[in-house]
Amino acid sequence: LQARRCAASGGRLWKNAEIDHRVPLFRVWSERRDTPWPTLLDYWGLPNLQTINRDAHAAKSAEEARGRRGRTMTADFTA
C-alpha cells in the first residue's frame, strides 16, 4: 500500500520498520470520546495504520509524548 516507503519520511522502508497508528490512540480517546463505538473501531484497524522506519517511529512517539505532557501541564496550571 505504501510502495515500500516510510510514511513519515518518504524514504525506503528498512528491515526494522514498525507499524504505527496515524492518529494516536490517546488522541482518539480524548478528542473523539463521543463518537459512536463502531466508528471508533476504525482507528484501531488498517485505515489508521502505517509502516514507518524505527527511527521515525521513535521521533514521532517522542513528539506525541511531549504534546501530551504539555497539554497536561497546561491543564494543571489553568485549574
Side-chain angles (χ1 to χ4, degrees):
L1 293 174
Q2 292 177 202
R4 296 184 178 96
R5 295 283 175 195
C6 173
S9 69
R12 197 170 135 238
L13 281 176
W14 302 338
K15 289 183 180 182
N16 66 352
E18 301 175 345
I19 303 299
D20 177 50
H21 289 94
R22 293 177 195 276
V23 178
L25 296 179
F26 78 88
R27 279 189 41 212
V28 172
W29 185 244
S30 64
E31 296 172 6
R32 295 175 172 89
R33 190 173 289 241
D34 296 331
T35 305
W37 184 247
T39 305
L40 280 178
L41 287 177
D42 290 341
Y43 289 99
W44 271 259
L46 188 60
N48 191 34
L49 295 177
Q50 62 184 352
T51 306
I52 61 176
N53 289 324
R54 177 175 262 173
D55 62 338
H57 192 196
K60 180 179 178 282
S61 296
E63 183 63 32
E64 291 167 357
R66 279 192 290 277
R68 281 193 309 260
R69 184 173 51 237
R71 188 172 18 194
T72 302
M73 289 175 64
T74 303
D76 290 343
F77 289 126
T78 59

